[in-house]
C-alpha cells in the first residue's frame, strides 16, 4: 500500500523548516520509513516497523546517500529479533556514520496510533544521535508526532559517562592475574 505523507505535513516555520528539516527532507524521510515497512521480516508478530535515518549532507561518508533504512527482523527464538531502528542504525554505522551524521530519524508502523522506539532502541539511538535529533513517529497514514532523542530518553547513560579504563582501575583496584591478564583486587 502506498501512502502519501505529503498530505499531513505541518506548516513550516519562518525559515521554511519543520523540526529543522526542509519539506523535501521531511518528505524523503517520511516516504522512506513508510516504504521500509515492506522489508520487515515479522512472521511472529505481524507488526511491521520501518525506520529511516536522514544523513546530514555534510557527513564525511558516502556523499550520495541521504537516507538509510531498516525494518524489524524477527526470529523463531523470539528475544533474538531486532527492531527496525537498530537494523537501520547498524547499517549506517557499518557504512562509517557516527555521532553527528544523523539529522533525523523516522519510524513507521501499520497502526493508526503513533509508535515510539522501544527502550532498548532509545539507548541504541542515544549512542549515535545527540539529544536534539528529532524522531518522527508515523502512523499508517503518514501523519507523525515528533519528540527529540533527549525527550524520549532523559538523563540518559552514554559513552561520556564512562571514565577512562585507567581511572577505573584506580577506583576498583586491579592486579595482575594469571597468564598476563588482570583481575579486580579482592576486598
Ligand atoms: N519493534 C520495532 O521494530 N521497533 C520498535 O520500536 C518497537 C517494536 C518491533 C519488534 C518486533 O519485531 C515487533 O515490533 C513487535 O514488537
Amino acid at each position: 500500500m502506498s501512502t502519501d505523507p505529503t498530505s499531513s505535513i505541518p506548516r513550516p516555520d519562518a525559515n521554511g523548516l519543520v523540526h529543522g528539516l526542509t519539506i523535501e527532507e521531511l518528505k524523503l524521510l517520511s516516504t522512506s520509513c513508510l516504504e521500509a515497512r515492506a522489508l520487515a521480516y515479522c512472521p511472529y508478530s505481524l507488526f511491521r516497523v520501518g525506520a529511516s535515518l536522514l544523513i546530514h549532507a555534510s557527513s564525511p561518508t558516502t556523499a550520495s546517500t541521504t537516507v538509510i533504512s531498516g525494518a524489524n527482523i524477527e526470529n523463531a527464538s523470539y528475544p533474538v529479533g531486532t527492531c527496525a531502528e537498530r537494523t537501520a542504525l547498524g547499517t549506517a554505522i557499518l557504512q562509517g556514520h557516527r555521532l553527528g551524521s544523523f539529522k533525523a530519524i523516522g519510524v513507521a508502523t501499520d497502526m493508526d496510533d503513533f509508535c515510539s522506539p522501544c527502550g532498548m532502541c532509545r539507548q541504541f539511538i542515544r549512542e549515535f544521535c545527540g539529544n536534539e535529533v528529532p524522531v518522527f513517529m508515523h502512523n499508517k497514514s503518514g501523519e507523525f508526532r515528533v519528540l527529540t532523542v533527549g525527550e524520549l530518553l532523559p538523563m540518559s547513560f552514554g559513552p561520556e559517562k564512562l571514565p577512562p579504563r585507567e581511572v577505573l582501575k584506580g577506583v576498583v583496584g586491579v592486579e595482575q592475574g594469571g597468564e598476563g591478564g588482570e583481575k579486580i583486587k579482592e576486598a
Side-chain angles (χ1 to χ4, degrees), residues 41-42 45-50 71-74 81-86 107 115-119 121:
Y41 173 77
C42 54
S45 72
L46 303 181
F47 189 82
R48 302 188 313 165
V49 186
N72 49 332
I73 306 172
E74 298 185 346
T82 309
C83 292
E85 296 88 330
R86 278 177 285 139
V107 184
C115 177
S116 65
C118 78
C121 285

Side-chain angles (χ1 to χ4, degrees), residues 20-84:
L21 274 60
T22 65
I23 297 299
E24 288 68 32
E25 287 174 331
L26 180 51
K27 282 182 190 172
L28 177 63
L29 183 71
S30 292
T31 305
S32 298
C33 66
L34 287 158
E35 287 181 358
R37 293 173 301 180
L39 305 172
Y41 173 77
C42 54
Y44 308 106
S45 72
L46 303 181
F47 189 82
R48 302 188 313 165
V49 186
S52 294
L53 308 163
L54 186 70
I55 309 296
H56 273 296
S58 57
S59 181
T61 56
T62 54
S64 61
T65 308
T66 47
V67 155
I68 294 171
S69 293
N72 49 332
I73 306 172
E74 298 185 346
N75 192 279
S77 178
Y78 295 174
V80 178
T82 309
C83 292

